[in-house]
Amino acid sequence: MKTFLGSALDPAADKALMTVLTVSLCSANLLPVPLAALILGRDLFLVAGTAWYRYKSLPPPKTVKRYFDLALPSAEVRPPFISKLNTLLQLTLMSASVAAPVFGYVDGVALEALRWVVGATTIWSGAQYLFDPNVIKILPQKAK
């Protein structure tokens, strides 16, 4: 089942989870600061972009109440494949980073390679949102 509320809450939950994991692992020195900044920066960019598109596409009158009224969908985000792959790779990296001290591979080559791949897909995903016109679709407004 797909609902507008679910389509808004699912990415928000992903962002919250990734933020907590990234900050926690970076604080524990299990995730490099530049990579953590990249992951958090991309997510901040996506949240700010989504807020801007919501404001831009909301039909008048543009009030705070209407802005947060989920019964008034005004734009639809279609996450590209690279974004979904990036989320999978980020979660894989977070899991591997948590396990690294237990299994003694904190400085392992495979973990470092995964960090670089996550960095690359994070940049690619952010660029896709920024430059691909098919990712965000402004919905036609119904006549009142």
Side-chain angles (χ1 to χ4, degrees), residues 4-139:
F4 179 72
L5 178 61
S7 69
L9 291 180
D10 184 54
D14 288 348
K15 300 288 173 266
L17 174 65
M18 202 54 60
T19 298
V20 169
L21 288 170
T22 301
V23 170
S24 298
L25 290 171
C26 187
S27 296
N29 294 318
L30 294 172
L31 196 64
V33 171
L35 181 57
L38 181 65
I39 291 169
L40 295 173
R42 173 193 165 268
D43 285 352
L44 185 62
F45 159 75
L46 291 178
V47 169
T50 301
W52 181 78
Y53 263 101
R54 173 67 174 167
Y55 178 78
K56 178 183 169 187
S57 63
L58 188 67
K62 294 183 184 197
T63 64
V64 172
K65 182 179 179 182
R66 292 185 81 238
Y67 182 87
F68 290 103
D69 185 352
L70 296 179
L72 296 171
S74 58
E76 179 180 79
V77 178
R78 297 179 185 158
F81 173 76
I82 187 61
S83 183
K84 294 177 182 189
L85 177 62
N86 178 249
T87 299
L88 173 66
L89 290 171
Q90 284 181 358
L91 288 171
T92 301
L93 174 62
M94 301 304 163
S95 300
S97 296
V98 167
V102 175
F103 295 105
Y105 61 85
V106 172
D107 297 322
V109 174
L111 186 58
E112 185 64 21
L114 182 57
R115 289 175 181 152
W116 280 97
V117 170
V118 166
T121 59
T122 299
I123 292 169
W124 184 0
S125 172
Q128 189 92 26
Y129 277 102
L130 189 59
F131 298 114
D132 187 343
N134 298 315
V135 173
I136 299 175
K137 176 185 172 191
I138 303 295
L139 299 174

